[in-house]
Amino acid sequence: MTTPAQPASAPSLLSDLLLLQFRRGDNESNNQQLYRLMRDGILQEILPPGLRLPSSRQLADELGVARNTVLHAYERLAAEGYVSAGVGRGTFVLDTRPDRLHGQPAATPSPARATTSLVSRRGHELVSQAGAGQRQWGAFMPGVPEIRTFPARTWMRLQNRQWRKPQPELLTYSVGPGLPALRQQLADYLRSSRGVRCTPEQIIITNGAHAALQLIALLLGDPGDKAWVEEPGYWGVHSVWRSAGLDTVPVPVDDEGLQVDAGSGEARLIFVSPSHQYPLGAVMSLARRRRLLAHARRHGSWVVEDDYDSEFRYGRPPLPSLQGLDQHGRVIYLATFSKVMYPGLRLAYMVVPESLVHSFQTGLSELYRGGQYLTQAVLADFIAEGHFVAHIRRMRQLYAQRRQVLLHAIRLHFGDSLPIHDGSAGLHLVLGLPPGSDDLAVSHAAQQAGVLTRPLSQYYRAGQPQPGLLLGYAHVDEADIPRHFAVLAGVIRQHCVPPAQG
Ligand SMILES: Cc1ncc(COP(=O)(O)O)c(C=O)c1O
């Protein structure tokens, strides 16, 4: 940065700029405002390189502000490289234009090019096909647990205990795949409640399920490898795996879960939600589980078992995990704390086969570095002291009641004329709409009327989508469910060929 030999002196430029825009007594302090106006003037070249600024005393008089205010602005501009100031030499705008060295005007990209080249093709695909909803609270947003009754006092007590004298290992860069105490608690819990066979070493803790899915894709798949995903299925796996370069292949599901024989091509990865198929709710039959495991073994595929909400089952107990049935180490078990605790916690975990432990531990710390060890310590205490299981039990009862209230409201308005898919489990159900209905239009109109739903057709990537609506009930007060459903029923009647009352 140099000062031209013959700097221009044009205090009027500065005065014009400042007198026009400077507002004394505004919310922004005088110091900050003066600095910002001058900085912007320099960046926009209204105050060109080489311009000599008036003395601080002169400018302070013109603006009617304290001289210190001007001195403060000049000093800050000098410290940040906008102006040069030397005792007795005056203060000059420095030449910091990016094209100065090349002696050519800065290239202005054409608007078309600027927008198309902002993101990569992969980025464009990810963004244009994004699946996450913009609203995550309100009747009947699916996938949201009841968080208002979370035992906050207990959590705070356990948290305070950890923070009272935090161990340095919990606050420094974390090494390894998660806090050993939490992994030990999880191994015990999974063995007894989900039939997962594992040691604590096989557990890898991640920031949410998406980080786990990404790590799986990056460590086990190469760009272009095929990955089977359920159809209809969870949008998140599609987004994460495609952005990691995998070729996701939708494979239809039926009442027994993934139709293994309908899958095409050699799959490197296979994603399933066998305990409660997302979103339709089927429980994968034992025969289908065995077929899937045999297929994975024969073709060298890795099966990812997403066990996202199986704690909430309102009839018979859940089938033990697919992982527990696997004799050949082909299954990666994936679960999240989002549904059993609260989504903002952003903690999930995988149980990986022993053969993958080293790669996943190293991959995790290399890519994400892990973290939140103090929160993990609080969670380990929460489980060890029995609060976790008690919370799940309470929520299961609450969600079972809310599910009944919603089912009752559906029957009241539509009898048995609309199919309901839910597998008696989870935080949501799917209300089928009459064939030919436009579920996107219904969902949009319902949102305008204040009721959130997600259209079932959005969970299909290929083939013929069935129309329907996902309705989350877990976080909606029983007393409010009938009222919200009545609004939705009105919208459905307006938009769909009326179903015959059963
Ligand atoms: C089927 C399924 N799997 C996984 C997840 C992701 O969980 P997380 O909150 O850890 O990202 C969700 C979240 O809604 C889900 O619906």
Side-chain angles (χ1 to χ4, degrees):
M1 284 178 286
T2 51
T3 311
Q6 289 187 314
S9 176
S12 60
L13 273 178
L14 182 60
S15 307
D16 285 354
L17 173 79
L18 296 177
L19 288 171
L20 268 176
Q21 299 189 35
F22 189 75
R23 304 259 177 283
R24 239 166 307 137
D26 214 359
N27 277 347
E28 196 180 15
S29 73
N30 285 353
N31 286 5
Q32 170 64 23
Q33 200 185 157
L34 192 57
Y35 154 78
R36 178 178 59 75
L37 290 172
M38 290 171 71
R39 182 202 60 193
D40 292 351
I42 294 171
L43 288 174
Q44 290 159 18
E45 295 176 33
I46 299 166
L47 305 177
L51 180 76
R52 182 184 188 136
L53 301 183
S55 72
S56 54
R57 193 183 308 277
Q58 184 187 343
L59 186 58
D61 286 349
E62 275 181 33
L63 293 175
V65 296
R67 187 170 164 222
N68 262 349
T69 299
V70 180
L71 281 172
H72 176 273
Y74 280 11
E75 274 165 23
R76 187 160 167 198
L77 289 168
E80 292 177 10
Y82 289 96
V83 301
S84 81
V87 182
R89 278 198 289 114
T91 302
F92 298 92
V93 175
L94 286 169
D95 191 355
T96 55
R97 290 170 299 177
D99 52 333
R100 175 178 58 85
L101 290 178
H102 305 290
Q104 55 196 1
T108 338
S110 74
R113 189 179 149 66
T115 48
T116 51
S117 63
L118 276 178
V119 293
S120 62
R121 271 199 301 278
R122 179 178 46 202
H124 176 72
E125 187 185 318
L126 177 73
V127 172
S128 62
Q129 297 181 17
Q134 291 301 307
R135 307 242 327 247
Q136 295 294 339
W137 187 254
F140 294 106
M141 185 66 204
V144 183
E146 178 53 270
I147 42 193
R148 291 165 298 185
T149 52
F150 181 75
R153 275 172 186 277
T154 306
W155 186 260
M156 198 166 66
R157 179 172 56 77
L158 299 177
Q159 187 160 279
N160 288 347
R161 193 162 77 192
Q162 289 293 343
W163 271 111
R164 209 162 291 139
K165 202 163 185 292
Q167 301 162 35
E169 309 85 86
L170 299 184
L171 299 186
T172 183
Y173 285 108
S174 51
V175 281
L179 191 73
L182 178 58
R183 289 156 68 217
Q184 179 66 59
Q185 289 299 331
L186 283 173
D188 295 343
Y189 167 75
L190 291 172
R191 238 179 278 126
S192 61
S193 73
R194 299 296 302 118
V196 172
R197 290 183 302 176
C198 67
T199 61
E201 289 67 43
Q202 289 171 259
I203 297 180
I204 312 279
I205 296 172
T206 59
N207 290 345
H210 285 205
L213 288 169
Q214 191 175 40
L215 194 58
I216 290 169
L218 296 176
L219 290 177
L220 303 181
D222 283 311
D225 278 351
K226 296 219 176 305
W228 291 359
V229 294
E230 295 169 321
E231 168 88 336
Y234 179 46
W235 55 266
V237 66
H238 182 88
S239 294
V240 174
W241 280 6
R242 279 196 86 79
S243 68
L246 298 180
D247 178 13
T248 50
V249 179
V251 178
V253 299
D254 61 16
D255 290 348
E256 292 188 65
L258 188 88
Q259 298 184 42
V260 180
D261 297 333
S264 68
E266 294 275 300
R268 182 82 180 135
L269 290 166
I270 302 176
F271 177 91
V272 283
S273 45
S275 305
H276 185 225
Q277 198 275 328
Y278 189 83
L280 286 178
V283 177
M284 191 184 275
S285 66
L286 181 60
R288 206 55 82 68
R289 286 171 193 240
R290 297 185 66 184
R291 205 180 193 85
L292 175 61
L293 292 176
H295 179 99
R297 186 172 179 221
R298 214 169 30 250
H299 297 273
S301 316
W302 297 105
V303 177
V304 178
E305 173 181 17
D306 185 13
D307 202 21
Y308 62 104
D309 71 357
S310 66
E311 280 84 358
F312 304 118
R313 181 152 282 288
Y314 315 116
R316 61 196 165 110
L319 280 183
S321 67
L322 180 68
Q323 194 267 9
L325 204 61
D326 174 27
Q327 302 288 331
H328 302 283
R330 303 307 307 175
V331 175
I332 297 166
Y333 176 90
L334 170 64
T336 177
F337 283 107
S338 295
K339 316 297 177 185
V340 280
M341 296 286 286
Y342 59 93
L345 189 58
R346 300 316 307 137
L347 284 177
Y349 55 93
M350 289 178 271
V351 178
V352 301
E354 274 168 14
S355 59
L356 296 177
V357 166
H358 174 70
S359 307
F360 271 75
Q361 291 194 352
T362 312
L364 179 89
S365 69
E366 198 63 19
L367 282 176
Y368 312 110
R369 307 219 63 183
Q372 300 190 40
Y373 269 32
L374 195 131
T375 306
Q376 292 187 27
V378 178
L379 186 51
D381 291 345
F382 191 79
I383 300 174
E385 293 187 8
H387 308 297
F388 184 62
V389 171
H391 178 59
I392 291 175
R393 199 180 312 122
R394 268 198 310 275
M395 292 302 105
R396 192 186 295 125
Q397 279 169 9
L398 185 67
Y399 301 167
Q401 283 167 18
R402 292 179 174 177
R403 174 173 170 271
Q404 283 305 338
V405 176
L406 180 57
L407 288 172
H408 183 258
I410 295 174
R411 263 184 236 115
L412 197 72
H413 286 273
F414 297 111
D416 291 330
S417 61
L418 296 179
I420 295 169
H421 316 267
D422 82 333
S424 306
L427 314 180
H428 77 276
L429 56 76
V430 178
L431 178 64
L433 294 178
S437 307
D438 180 350
D439 58 7
L440 258 162
V442 177
S443 179
H444 183 70
Q447 182 167 345
Q448 303 291 95
V451 178
L452 303 173
T453 63
R454 299 209 72 189
L456 177 60
S457 60
Q458 281 192 335
Y459 294 78
Y460 288 79
R461 297 284 151 179
Q464 269 300 325
Q466 296 179 46
L469 298 173
L470 273 73
L471 307 182
Y473 49 80
H475 64 298
V476 190
D477 280 335
E478 294 91 295
D480 296 333
I481 290 177
R483 175 167 57 89
H484 291 305
F485 190 79
V487 173
L488 181 60
V491 174
I492 293 175
R493 276 192 211 98
Q494 253 176 19
H495 281 77
C496 302
V497 182
Q501 283 271 341

